[in-house]
Amino acid sequence: QNKTVGFVNFMANNNGFTLADLFSYCEKHNEANGEENADGSNYNFSINCGTEGKTTRKYVMELRRKHLYMALSMVFFAQGVPLLLAGDEALNSQQGNNNAYCQDNKTGWVNWKRNTGMEALQEFVQKLAAFRKAHPVIRKAEPMHLNDYQHKGCPDLSYHSDNAWAAGLPEEKGAFGVMYCGDYAVNDAGEPDDMVYIGYNFHTGVNELALPKLAGKKKWYVVMDTAEQEHAFLPEEKPAENQHRITVRPQSVVLLLGK
């Protein structure tokens, strides 16, 4: 990473599954390519959430939504340039084809028609992009040092678990918190950015993560919770009920601002 080149973060690109297919298929389905399904990668790191391909099962659809929202959150909240494959914000699917280079038809085309969950997902992506733009601390050009090299009171980037300042949760817990120190960036108004805390829970059970104590009279405010089915971004940010710990529901992401 450097100011000239930087790096790009993505979950899906044109060589592989679309983002929707990444959580809808365990296996590639390239039979229509005419190569007896031998083309395309066999290593897709995908999951079908219980049903291969299209389904109307509400549990499976909700689990796929959770995975989609977690994946997009990771891309947009990570330092570096976020890359979004065209159509991923519209739940575009190639029906499990991970090598659709020869499909000049509905399989290879982007489907922009409205479908279940599309509008909510588009709104979510728009708000992710807006949040990223509003908070320069998560898109700094310089590499993070993971220490307080400018004596701001906390590291520029830190990791947390059920104890603040310690990323020590057992692997089976599948959860951790990331905090960007806003004092290491200046917003458009010329003021220090807010503290940004992202709690990730990849586990099937509830996890609690510790929130670092903020300086002075600052408080933690919940901005986003992907466990909410209707609106992941809250209509209005609200003070965290517990200023020391945050509950992160199964397979979801919680976003807080400290200010």
Side-chain angles (χ1 to χ4, degrees):
Q1 179 192 10
N2 56 60
K3 293 183 179 180
T4 303
V5 180
F7 57 83
V8 176
N9 300 311
F10 60 90
M11 286 288 178
N13 65 14
N14 62 306
N15 292 316
F17 282 149
T18 67
L19 192 60
D21 286 355
L22 192 65
F23 304 118
S24 300
Y25 295 90
C26 280
E27 306 291 340
K28 65 181 182 181
H29 295 271
N30 298 354
E31 292 83 1
N33 293 355
E35 299 182 45
E36 298 182 349
N37 205 33
D39 64 308
S41 176
N42 293 318
Y43 303 98
N44 297 290
F45 305 100
S46 60
I47 184 173
N48 64 18
C49 299
T51 300
E52 188 78 354
K54 290 184 179 180
T55 184
T56 56
R57 295 172 63 189
K58 291 184 178 180
Y59 169 78
V60 174
M61 293 174 67
E62 172 59 12
L63 188 54
R64 289 176 179 176
R65 183 198 70 82
K66 287 182 176 181
H67 282 302
L68 275 165
Y69 279 47
M70 283 194 296
L72 288 167
S73 297
M74 292 183 71
V75 169
F76 278 87
F77 294 151
Q79 192 184 17
V81 179
L83 182 151
L84 193 64
L85 179 64
D88 277 351
E89 72 277 31
L91 291 172
N92 184 58
S93 172
Q94 293 178 170
Q95 292 76 52
N97 192 320
N98 72 353
N99 191 34
Y101 74 98
C102 59
Q103 298 296 328
D104 188 13
N105 49 45
K106 290 183 178 180
T107 298
W109 300 340
V110 174
N111 182 7
W112 296 106
K113 291 183 178 179
R114 297 187 183 278
N115 53 62
T116 303
M118 173 181 167
E119 290 186 2
L121 181 61
Q122 286 183 327
E123 177 186 333
F124 181 63
V125 172
Q126 289 170 353
K127 291 187 175 181
L128 284 174
F131 183 89
R132 181 181 177 86
K133 183 178 180 180
H135 294 280
V137 71
I138 61 176
R139 50 183 172 84
K140 286 170 58 66
E142 300 81 9
M144 292 293 184
H145 292 244
L146 277 75
N147 62 55
D148 190 12
Y149 63 97
Q150 291 185 8
H151 309 290
K152 300 290 187 180
C154 63
D156 53 357
L157 177 68
S158 54
Y159 294 93
H160 309 270
S161 59
D162 51 353
N163 291 308
W165 310 110
L169 272 178
E171 184 177 345
E172 61 269 18
K173 284 283 188 179
F176 63 92
V178 179
M179 188 178 78
Y180 291 95
C181 178
D183 289 336
Y184 276 87
V186 177
N187 59 27
D188 291 340
E191 300 174 346
D193 201 353
D194 300 321
M195 297 289 187
V196 178
Y197 184 100
I198 309 118
Y200 295 99
N201 182 11
F202 304 99
H203 197 258
T204 55
V206 175
N207 267 305
E208 277 199 355
L209 296 172
L211 296 173
K213 184 178 180 180
L214 296 170
K217 296 182 179 180
K218 290 183 178 180
K219 291 184 178 181
W220 287 112
Y221 294 84
V222 180
V223 177
M224 181 197 84
D225 185 350
T226 63
E228 296 292 333
Q229 293 186 9
E230 293 297 325
H231 299 285
F233 275 87
L234 279 60
E236 292 184 3
E237 58 189 43
K238 62 179 182 180
E241 294 181 3
N242 187 333
Q243 289 289 310
H244 305 288
R245 305 186 71 78
I246 186 71
T247 299
V248 189
R249 285 177 279 182
Q251 297 166 318
S252 63
V253 183
V254 176
L255 172 67
L256 300 97
L257 286 178
K259 56 184 180 178

